[in-house]
């Protein structure tokens, strides 16, 4: 090589991340990508070209681990094809299934190189380097790198900040995790065992990340936590700050136009947070507040520590503070011991609350949770029938809520080009998809849109005022 020649550039490695489950996993996947970027890994949407594949798993859904093992079987075949062509593919399992079943994954799926829980992804580059050191070892000696400890250090303090262009590429809206873990120990839920105890990020850390997001063009931030309204981060003076006060501080960031948060627990919905909904226009009037059941007997068995009457009273207080508030909820049908009357009580609370949307599931046992050992399991056909009836009621409420928006003018954050030529799309304050005719110049800002109709899963709008040429 002469002095005038330059050494060939090392092509970037490609990482494919498949995300299962909640918004927090979406956030975690983005931060994994951020952690790998300084080490030469660029994201790809094509798993076939990936040098590294990460499955960021969720343990909430039924048969979650079996779905992971099924996916690993497909990846093993893809890895074999890559190796036959002289390449290679490393495979990692992250998230809550990894946290709960790390050793089992290592035993059943030798194809896996990395197994790590949601509290360890800041150590991903180090784990990857250790795994790469074993790539050429004899299969009988090779072992996956496993990290499922709950570390004492703050993982967020060790993560690199996403580059401005990366944030911009992800869009006008962003997730921001402020709280992790759960101390509630609902008897049906595995989260306390996979995410650990409730931990809140310091106020300064949250504000710094929010400012970076807004500086990169983000208009709307959704604060995330297993019990996000249990947030109790410390400020510079060491004082505990709740989610309501944090919302006021975030509202001071110039350029931040919308703020949301999820998921909330009724027991942590305090007066300061309700007041923030009253006082802060940027705090969206759409609240996900799960109740799970309308039966006090079942709520007690679930260890929810609130009654149906307390939930309804809370909803009334919230709507007094913010009359345009719309509610979203979660419901579990067929919890052990649920009678016909218990189920009717759930339908009653749905009718009394009136939901804009809701998520509903048949109860399924989670090994290691108290609910797994309860007697009086409900027959599967009964669960199916009840779920159908509940979803019929909720779907009718959702349809009615969409219809109630027709004739109103709503502020819509225009985010993208529409599906049809000359069309753009965005989101209402209630997270509804809104489609309207308009130029691409509308994208990136909030515009007043008159709602003129509804379709299956969205609203149809008309720009209230023409954009100046």
């Amino acid at each position: 090589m002469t002095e005038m020649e330059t050494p060939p550039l090392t092509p970037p490695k490609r990482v494919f991340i498949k995300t299962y489950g909640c918004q927090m996993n979406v956030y975690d996947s983005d931060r994994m990508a951020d952690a790998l970027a300084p080490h030469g890994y660029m994201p790809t949407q094509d798993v076939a070209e990936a040098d590294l594949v990460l499955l960021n798993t969720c343990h909430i859904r039924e048969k979650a681990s079996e779905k992971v093992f099924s996916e690993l079987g497909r990846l093993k075949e893809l890895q074999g094809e890559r190796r036959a062509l002289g390449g290679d593919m490393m495979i990692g399992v992250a998230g809550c299934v990894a946290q709960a079943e790390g050793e089992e994954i290592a035993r059943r799926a030798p194809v896996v190189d990395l197994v790590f829980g949601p509290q360890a992804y800041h150590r991903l580059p180090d784990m990857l380097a250790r795994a790469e050191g074993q790539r050429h070892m004899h299969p009988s000696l090779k072992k996956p790198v496993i990290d499922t400890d709950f570390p004492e250090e703050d993982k967020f303090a060790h993560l690199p900040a996403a580059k401005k262009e990366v944030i911009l590429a992800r869009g006008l809206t962003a997730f921001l995790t402020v709280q992790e873990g759960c101390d509630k120990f609902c008897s049906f839920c595995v989260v306390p065992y996979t995410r650990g105890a409730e931990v809140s990020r310091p106020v300064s850390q949250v504000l710094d990340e929010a400012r970076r997001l807004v500086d990169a063009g983000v208009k709307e931030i959704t604060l995330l936590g297993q019990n996000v309204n249990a947030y109790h981060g410390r400020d510079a003076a060491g004082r505990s700050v709740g989610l309501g006060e944090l919302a006021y501080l975030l509202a001071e960031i110039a350029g931040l136009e919308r703020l949301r948060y999820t998921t909330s627990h009724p027991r942590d919905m305090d007066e300061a947070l309700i007041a923030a909904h009253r006082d802060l226009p940027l705090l969206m009037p759409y609240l996900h507040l799960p109740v799970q059941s309308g039966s006090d007997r079942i709520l007690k068995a679930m260890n929810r520590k609130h009654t149906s009457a307390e939930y309804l009273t809370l909803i009334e207080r919230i709507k007094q503070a913010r009359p345009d508030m719309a509610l979203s909820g979660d419901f579990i049908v067929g919890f052990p011991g649920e009678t016909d009357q218990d189920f009717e009580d759930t339908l009653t609370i749905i009718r009394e609350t009136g939901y804009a949307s809701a998520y509903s599931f048949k109860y399924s046992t989670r090994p290691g949770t108290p609910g797994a050992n309860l007697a009086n399991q409900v027959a599967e056909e009964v669960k199916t029938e009840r779920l159908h009836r509940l979803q019929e009621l909720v779907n009718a409420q959702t349809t009615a809520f969409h219809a109630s928006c027709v004739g109103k003018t709503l502020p819509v954050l225009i985010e993208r080009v529409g599906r049809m030529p000359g069309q753009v799309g965005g989101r209402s304050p209630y997270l509804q998809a809104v489609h309207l005719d308009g130029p691409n110049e509308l994208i990136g800002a909030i515009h007043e849109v008159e709602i003129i109709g509804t379709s299956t899963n969205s609203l149809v709008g008309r720009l209230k005022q023409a954009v100046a040429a």
Side-chain angles (χ1 to χ4, degrees):
M1 182 180 295
T2 67
E3 291 184 4
M4 297 298 293
E5 292 177 325
T6 58
L9 294 175
T10 302
K13 297 177 181 179
R14 299 290 178 179
V15 56
F16 176 89
I17 305 178
K18 182 170 183 176
T19 306
Y20 300 78
C22 67
Q23 297 100 323
M24 189 172 288
N25 268 15
V26 175
Y27 175 86
D28 286 352
S29 292
D30 284 345
R31 300 314 304 273
M32 288 181 207
D34 295 340
L36 289 169
H39 300 271
Y41 281 88
M42 300 296 293
T44 178
Q45 299 301 314
D46 183 1
V47 66
E49 72 172 16
D51 302 286
L52 171 65
V53 176
L54 297 175
L55 305 180
N56 191 11
T57 62
C58 173
H59 212 298
I60 296 297
R61 299 291 180 266
E62 188 176 9
K63 299 180 181 178
S65 59
E66 291 308 312
K67 292 175 183 176
V68 172
F69 286 117
S70 177
E71 183 69 23
L72 289 173
R74 288 189 286 270
L75 289 175
K76 182 179 180 180
E77 294 180 6
L78 194 58
Q79 184 189 66
E81 294 172 7
R82 287 288 300 277
R83 287 177 173 172
L85 296 173
D88 203 355
M89 174 187 288
M90 298 188 73
I91 298 170
V93 180
C96 292
V97 173
Q99 183 70 42
E101 304 184 40
E103 296 294 339
E104 180 71 0
I105 292 169
R107 185 185 69 80
R108 285 182 55 183
V111 70
V112 172
D113 299 284
L114 307 164
V115 181
F116 56 101
Q119 304 305 326
Y121 63 76
H122 61 299
R123 293 198 289 262
L124 179 54
D126 175 65
M127 287 185 273
L128 192 57
R130 286 154 54 199
E132 286 176 335
Q134 299 190 53
R135 292 177 83 173
H136 304 294
M137 293 176 66
H138 190 276
S140 64
L141 300 175
K142 181 183 172 184
K143 295 182 179 179
V145 175
I146 300 177
D147 190 341
T148 53
D149 292 335
F150 288 107
E152 293 183 3
E153 77 266 24
D154 177 3
K155 70 179 180 185
F156 297 103
H158 294 272
L159 286 166
K163 293 183 177 180
K164 189 170 183 176
E165 60 268 25
V166 172
I167 297 172
L168 188 60
R170 290 172 182 165
L172 299 170
T173 64
F175 296 128
L176 199 172
T177 293
V178 300
Q179 182 271 344
E180 284 194 290
C182 182
D183 295 341
K184 302 299 186 291
F185 288 93
C186 297
S187 60
F188 56 81
C189 186
V190 74
V191 165
Y193 311 99
T194 57
R195 288 275 182 172
E198 289 179 357
V199 177
S200 297
R201 296 176 68 181
V203 172
S204 61
Q205 200 179 90
V206 173
L207 295 178
D208 286 346
E209 185 169 344
R211 291 188 189 102
R212 286 196 301 272
L213 291 170
V214 173
D215 183 56
V218 168
K219 303 292 185 183
E220 175 182 302
I221 292 176
T222 300
L223 308 179
L224 301 179
Q226 263 79 40
N227 282 324
V228 68
N229 56 345
Y231 177 82
H232 54 274
R234 299 285 174 177
D235 65 9
R239 186 176 58 90
S240 179
V241 171
L243 188 65
E245 185 176 352
L246 180 67
Y248 285 97
L249 295 172
L250 288 163
E252 296 175 3
I253 298 176
L256 179 59
E257 299 190 43
R258 286 183 166 183
L259 187 63
R260 304 181 188 273
Y261 59 90
T262 194
T263 293
S264 303
H265 195 291
R267 288 167 52 198
D268 295 315
M269 197 78 198
D270 61 18
E271 290 300 326
L273 186 52
I274 294 173
H277 277 287
R278 180 195 65 212
D279 297 339
L280 300 175
L282 94 165
L283 196 53
M284 291 294 94
Y286 184 73
L287 177 61
H288 186 64
L289 193 64
V291 65
Q292 307 298 356
S293 173
S295 163
D296 288 346
R297 195 177 68 83
I298 296 299
L299 287 171
K300 185 175 181 179
M302 288 177 168
N303 197 36
R304 292 289 289 173
K305 293 188 171 66
H306 63 78
T307 66
S308 58
E310 288 168 343
Y311 180 83
L312 290 171
T313 299
L314 177 59
I315 297 299
E316 184 179 350
R317 285 165 45 213
I318 293 168
K319 288 188 173 181
Q320 285 176 349
R322 188 73 188 255
D324 60 342
M325 181 68 76
L327 276 297
S328 171
D330 288 349
F331 295 93
I332 295 173
V333 302
F335 189 81
E338 183 186 72
T339 65
D340 288 342
Q341 185 56 55
D342 293 323
F343 178 67
E344 289 299 330
D345 290 343
T346 297
L347 297 183
T348 295
I349 204 170
I350 292 173
R351 293 187 186 101
E352 292 189 21
T353 300
Y355 289 93
S357 66
Y359 303 93
S360 52
F361 316 94
K362 291 187 287 187
Y363 173 76
S364 59
T365 58
R366 293 290 177 269
T369 64
N373 301 318
L374 292 176
N376 301 319
Q377 297 287 330
V378 177
E380 193 65 26
E381 61 270 20
V382 175
K383 292 182 191 177
T384 300
E385 189 272 337
R386 288 176 182 172
L387 182 64
H388 177 75
R389 288 175 59 198
L390 186 147
Q391 289 180 340
E392 205 169 39
L393 174 59
V394 168
N395 289 341
Q397 290 190 342
T398 300
T399 299
F401 178 73
H402 288 337
S404 74
C405 294
V406 175
K408 294 181 179 178
T409 296
L410 299 176
V412 175
L413 175 59
I414 307 297
E415 302 175 77
R416 61 194 175 276
V417 174
R419 291 172 293 184
M420 304 295 291
Q423 191 181 70
V424 291
R427 293 280 176 177
S428 79
Y430 304 108
L431 272 180
Q432 300 148 302
V434 181
H435 305 290
L436 63 146
D437 292 334
N440 292 353
E441 287 76 15
L442 294 174
I443 296 172
I446 294 174
H447 298 275
E448 294 297 314
V449 174
E450 182 184 0
I451 306 304
I452 59 174
T454 67
S455 58
T456 305
N457 296 305
S458 62
L459 303 179
V460 180
R462 179 170 55 210
L463 193 64
K464 193 73 172 176
Q465 184 176 349
V467 179

